[in-house]
């Protein structure tokens, strides 16, 4: 049975079925549409030159610094690098899979502004058994998920490491073997 992520019907039982037992998952069409609408709104605001904290500005003490279009692309990449610091043993695969399910389900609300390819790639990783290597320690900032989610996001750039078919591999190799394209 495929479990559909729609932002509102994910239960603990469904989460466990996906994370621990490899149940297939898909994104509800209405959720995908919400993601697309939010992304289009974000892109319209960027095209109109609106200032958006952490999107086209720096963060923290650099929040008043507006970034050029080229800087925006690089800034997003370096935010991931900056937060992908971790130490210790890798978290259990089922824990990381659960985090990916949770993140995809949050995206399904349609409020994050992410590209649909991000969410769809997370779902494909879940369905094909590609699990990012996420260290057990290394959280930064006020949110406890910055480091783990940044380590997961590295795979979306063809970087980091992943478990695939019982092997720990470079992220790009795991994605290649699973037949998952890395989003542009």
């Amino acid at each position: 049975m495929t479990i559909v992520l729609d932002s509102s019907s994910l239960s603990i039982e469904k989460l466990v079925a996906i994370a621990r037992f490899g149940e297939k998952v898909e994104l509800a069409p209405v959720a995908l549409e919400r993601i697309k609408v939010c992304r289009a709104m974000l892109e319209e605001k960027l095209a109109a030159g609106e200032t958006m904290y952490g999107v086209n500005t720096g963060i923290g003490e650099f929040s008043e610094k507006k970034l050029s279009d080229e800087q925006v692309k690089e800034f997003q990449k370096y935010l991931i690098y900056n937060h992908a610091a971790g130490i210790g043993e890798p978290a259990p695969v089922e824990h990381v899979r659960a985090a990916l399910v949770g993140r995809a389900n949050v995206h399904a609300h349609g409020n994050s502004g992410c590209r649909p390819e991000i969410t769809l790639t997370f779902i494909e990783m879940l369905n094909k058994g590609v699990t990012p290597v996420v260290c057990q320690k290394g959280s930064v900032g006020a949110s406890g998920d910055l480091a783990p989610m940044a380590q997961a996001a590295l795979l979306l750039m063809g970087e980091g490491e992943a478990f695939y078919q019982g092997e720990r591999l470079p992220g790009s190799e795991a994605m290649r073997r699973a037949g998952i394209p890395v989003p542009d």
Side-chain angles (χ1 to χ4, degrees):
M1 170 184 92
T2 299
I3 296 172
V4 179
L5 298 180
D6 61 6
S7 81
S8 62
S9 65
L10 182 64
S11 65
I12 294 294
E13 294 78 17
K14 290 177 182 177
L15 180 72
V16 169
I18 298 164
R20 186 175 293 160
F21 301 114
E23 194 70 51
K24 298 298 182 199
V25 63
E26 68 182 46
L27 188 62
V30 67
L32 180 58
E33 189 55 33
R34 286 192 298 259
I35 292 168
K36 288 179 179 178
V37 167
C38 185
R39 181 60 188 200
M41 182 262 321
L42 177 75
E43 289 180 8
E44 286 172 18
K45 289 179 177 285
L46 284 172
E50 287 189 38
T51 301
M52 291 175 284
Y53 176 78
V55 176
N56 62 357
T57 72
I59 56 175
E61 66 183 69
F62 298 106
S63 63
E64 301 296 320
K65 168 109 171 93
K66 191 151 183 195
L67 306 173
S68 70
D69 290 344
E70 183 56 36
Q71 287 173 319
V72 166
K73 184 176 179 180
E74 292 298 306
F75 178 68
Q76 298 302 316
K77 181 171 62 173
Y78 287 113
L79 269 178
I80 292 169
Y81 290 149
N82 188 49
H83 290 99
I87 60 170
E89 293 298 313
V93 166
E94 69 182 64
H95 294 186
V96 178
R97 287 178 54 81
L100 292 180
V101 173
R103 181 58 51 199
N105 196 56
V106 166
H107 289 178
H109 283 282
N111 297 322
S112 71
C114 72
R115 293 182 297 132
E117 295 86 357
I118 302 302
T119 311
L120 294 172
T121 300
F122 277 160
I123 288 173
E124 199 168 1
M125 288 165 59
L126 287 162
N127 288 336
K128 293 184 176 180
V130 175
T131 305
V133 172
V134 173
C135 297
Q136 290 187 17
K137 299 179 191 235
S139 187
V140 296
S143 173
D145 71 345
L146 287 175
M149 282 294 115
Q151 289 174 338
L154 287 172
L155 268 68
L156 301 174
M157 300 187 317
E159 299 184 32
E161 291 183 298
F163 292 108
Y164 180 65
Q165 296 183 339
E167 245 184 298
R168 185 174 178 169
L169 302 165
S172 59
E173 179 63 14
M175 297 290 269
R176 186 192 67 73
R177 287 187 190 182
I180 303 172
V182 173
D184 291 333

